[in-house]
Amino acid sequence: MATRQEEMSWWAKNSKVTIDQGGLAASLSLSETLLEEQELPALNYDCLVDHLRQNGVSYGVDMVSCQQLVMNPRAYIGGKTKIAMGKEPINGENASIEIMINNESEQSPRMLEDGRVDFYNLGVVNTVLKGQLLARKTPATEGIQGVGVGGAALMAKPGRDVRLPAGKNTTISEDTLNLLADADGHVSYNPRESKINVFNVFEVKGDVDFSVGNIDFLGNVKVNGSVLPGFKIVAAGDIEVAGFVDGAILEAGGDILIRGGVQMRSKGLIKASGTVRSRFMQGANVEAGLDVIVRDSIMHCHISAGRHVLMEAQKSVIVGGLVRAGEEVRTRTLGSPMATPTEIEVGVHPHLRTEMQELQVRLKELYLHVDKTKKALALLDNMAGVGNQLPPEKEALRQNLTHTYEHYQHEEEELMYRRSEIEVILLDTRNAKVFVTDVAYAGVKLTLGQQVTYLRDPQRGPVVYGISDGEITSSRF
């Protein structure tokens, strides 16, 4: 090549520089028309580097690839050679929360040495002292920015922050990284609501009857007798009943333990955000955010559990009614020899479906508020005119509306994120299972996810029903 200017002109005419991967990589290709030339000119490494710089490539140039290209350009005609690589950004780590307490409501019943399941001594009381560490937060990191082949910074995504699960009688430390108990009492962690609460206990020495009346307490309630028909117990924490529940209403923000049993005659309600445990249930309407655990029998009940319905006594049975569980149902016997209509639904996540409906309603309301706010801001902007000037009271109104609009946007983002989380969970039916140890009788209707089957003949266990390739299948376990 005679001159540097001529070589630069040759590069401009016969090569193409491509920047891709969002500015992270660059490649060079030589025109296929060069194949028609008998002899190619001698090329210079420095001229190639200048040519790359003129085409926006100044960082991360591969010296070896460039040198090979200028020494033997014919070998690279028609191809695409990577000649520069930037520095990829490293995204930040999300913040994380470490729960520092034993969450008994998340534990399954414990197996004893003789093989039996202990449904009574479950250790549901978890006591903490004021100042005790409940949860620890590891903060999010900002990430490390990269560099594109053009020398420009490639921004890293900062990690997403998460809130400490602060609830009743808890406090966040000055460094915002630790959650501490603000009082002595029983600690309860509800993962679905992402809150840790510390509760006191209200104890009833005998029955809940006319001498006591209805109970509404911001803590745990312990009843040493039974709950008689028509009475109501509402507790922000756990409810423990030593005797029986007969046609009453029990609502708990934590767990419900009924050591006797439940006989509702289709009246009343047992509702817990955590787990409901009982010896037997008859004609009961039960809702649990986590598990429903019954020792002996569920007969003609309407049961709804966010996670499991477990029955593991030697002669446990589910017969009649409707039993729903988000993930799993376990029993010795399902249905009856008389083909009593019995419905089992697994994989429905009833509490999440309710939350999804509430989210949709809130989003609809939010869109209306956003629309009204945008129209009000547009009206004020038109009033401001070219100079963007408003009277003081109108300017104050515009600032308030702007802050309101930003608040709505933030709320919408959180609601949309939560909705996407629930949608993923509802589509996941991998954990939808029904375990029957002894026998499943005819008359049972099984619904797993969106699939439905009816048992026409008795099936001897142990058998597990699940979903495979979009269909309900049964197999031994």
Side-chain angles (χ1 to χ4, degrees):
M1 189 70 67
T3 66
R4 182 181 186 85
Q5 183 177 358
E6 290 176 340
E7 181 174 349
M8 294 298 294
S9 177
W10 184 91
W11 282 111
K13 178 182 178 182
N14 296 291
S15 69
K16 179 181 179 182
V17 177
T18 303
I19 298 176
D20 46 25
Q21 296 185 34
L24 191 61
S27 58
L28 182 142
S29 56
L30 294 177
S31 174
E32 294 185 1
T33 59
L34 295 175
L35 293 172
E36 302 174 1
E37 298 186 14
Q38 294 293 326
E39 184 175 343
L40 297 179
L43 300 174
N44 184 277
Y45 172 83
D46 293 336
C47 287
L48 173 56
V49 173
D50 287 344
H51 173 66
L52 294 178
R53 186 177 294 107
Q54 290 178 5
N55 284 270
V57 180
S58 59
Y59 179 86
V61 175
D62 189 334
M63 298 175 58
V64 175
S65 295
C66 291
Q67 191 66 47
Q68 291 175 343
L69 195 150
V70 298
M71 291 177 60
N72 185 19
R74 190 174 295 277
Y76 297 91
I77 295 175
K80 196 172 182 180
T81 305
K82 184 176 290 187
I83 42 78
M85 190 69 192
K87 180 182 177 182
E88 189 171 0
I90 301 175
N91 293 332
E93 296 288 336
N94 293 336
S96 61
I97 303 295
E98 181 183 4
I99 304 300
M100 307 301 293
I101 60 174
N102 293 324
N103 186 29
E104 296 295 337
S105 64
E106 285 289 309
Q107 296 181 3
S108 299
R110 290 170 288 185
M111 188 72 69
L112 301 178
E113 294 181 359
D114 59 4
R116 293 181 296 111
V117 178
D118 186 356
F119 289 90
Y120 293 95
N121 299 311
L122 301 173
V124 295
V125 177
N126 193 357
T127 302
V128 294
L129 301 177
K130 184 177 180 179
Q132 184 172 331
L133 179 63
L134 306 177
R136 179 186 292 127
K137 176 180 176 180
T138 300
T141 60
E142 292 296 325
I144 302 174
Q145 71 177 22
V147 183
V149 293
L154 298 178
M155 302 307 296
K157 293 182 180 179
R160 191 167 53 122
D161 193 19
V162 294
R163 294 185 289 267
L164 281 165
K168 293 182 177 63
N169 295 323
T170 64
T171 185
I172 297 176
S173 61
E174 291 184 3
D175 61 6
T176 71
L177 298 180
N178 297 305
L179 183 67
L180 308 172
D182 205 28
D184 298 345
H186 171 73
V187 65
S188 175
Y189 173 47
N190 190 330
R192 189 168 68 90
E193 297 180 357
S194 189
K195 283 188 177 181
I196 294 179
N197 299 303
V198 178
F199 301 109
N200 294 322
V201 178
F202 180 83
E203 185 171 358
V204 179
K205 300 300 182 181
D207 297 336
V208 175
D209 54 18
F210 285 105
S211 66
V212 177
N214 294 331
I215 299 171
D216 189 344
F217 185 62
L218 294 176
N220 296 341
V221 174
K222 182 177 181 180
V223 179
N224 292 307
S226 297
V227 184
L228 302 188
F231 289 94
K232 182 176 183 179
I233 300 177
V234 178
D238 302 331
I239 297 175
E240 180 181 348
V241 179
F244 298 86
V245 175
D246 186 356
I249 296 176
L250 275 64
E251 296 183 11
D255 300 334
I256 294 179
L257 171 61
I258 304 169
R259 297 189 180 277
V262 179
Q263 184 170 338
M264 307 293 282
R265 296 186 291 273
S266 299
K267 298 179 181 180
L269 171 67
I270 307 294
K271 184 177 181 180
S273 295
T275 295
V276 175
R277 296 178 173 90
S278 181
R279 180 182 172 189
F280 68 87
M281 292 181 178
Q282 184 173 350
N285 186 9
V286 180
E287 299 177 16
L290 295 177
D291 302 334
V292 173
I293 302 174
V294 180
R295 179 187 173 188
D296 295 330
S297 62
I298 293 178
M299 302 183 67
H300 306 287
C301 296
H302 192 290
I303 307 293
S304 176
R307 193 171 60 177
H308 303 145
V309 174
L310 303 177
M311 314 231 3
E312 295 190 356
Q314 297 238 341
K315 296 182 180 180
S316 63
V317 59
I318 297 176
V319 57
L322 171 62
V323 174
R324 289 175 171 159
E327 296 180 10
E328 179 181 306
V329 172
R330 285 180 179 264
T331 184
R332 296 283 179 175
T333 303
L334 184 57
S336 74
M338 303 300 293
T340 304
T342 305
E343 296 185 48
I344 305 293
E345 295 183 5
V346 183
V348 296
H349 291 273
H351 297 284
L352 289 179
R353 291 191 187 278
T354 300
E355 184 180 351
M356 175 67 83
Q357 293 172 356
E358 294 172 351
L359 283 174
Q360 298 287 29
V361 171
R362 178 55 189 152
L363 280 170
K364 186 176 180 180
E365 295 175 349
L366 193 61
Y367 293 149
L368 292 176
H369 294 322
V370 169
D371 184 62
K372 291 180 181 178
T373 306
K374 288 174 65 176
K375 289 179 179 178
L377 284 170
L379 180 61
L380 290 172
D381 289 340
N382 289 333
M383 293 174 59
V386 178
N388 198 30
Q389 295 293 322
L390 285 170
E393 66 277 6
K394 297 292 185 183
E395 181 61 34
L397 176 60
R398 180 162 63 174
Q399 291 181 6
N400 289 336
L401 287 173
T402 300
H403 293 154
T404 300
Y405 181 69
E406 292 173 352
H407 170 76
Y408 285 152
Q409 285 184 313
H410 179 69
E411 184 179 358
E412 179 185 2
E413 182 180 340
E414 288 190 343
L415 292 175
M416 294 290 287
Y417 180 78
R418 178 57 180 162
R419 185 174 70 175
S420 64
E421 286 183 323
I422 296 176
E423 287 173 345
V424 171
I425 296 173
L426 292 177
L427 291 173
D428 185 4
T429 57
R430 291 174 298 176
N431 296 327
K433 297 286 190 298
V434 177
F435 293 86
V436 180
T437 305
D438 291 341
V439 58
Y441 287 104
V444 172
K445 175 185 176 183
L446 293 177
T447 302
L448 277 70
Q450 303 297 321
Q451 307 302 315
V452 181
T453 189
Y454 294 85
L455 301 187
R456 306 298 182 185
D457 301 296
Q459 295 190 16
R460 294 291 172 182
V463 61
V464 56
Y465 300 92
I467 294 180
S468 178
D469 298 327
E471 295 183 354
I472 295 178
T473 61
S474 61
S475 59
R476 297 285 177 176
F477 71 93

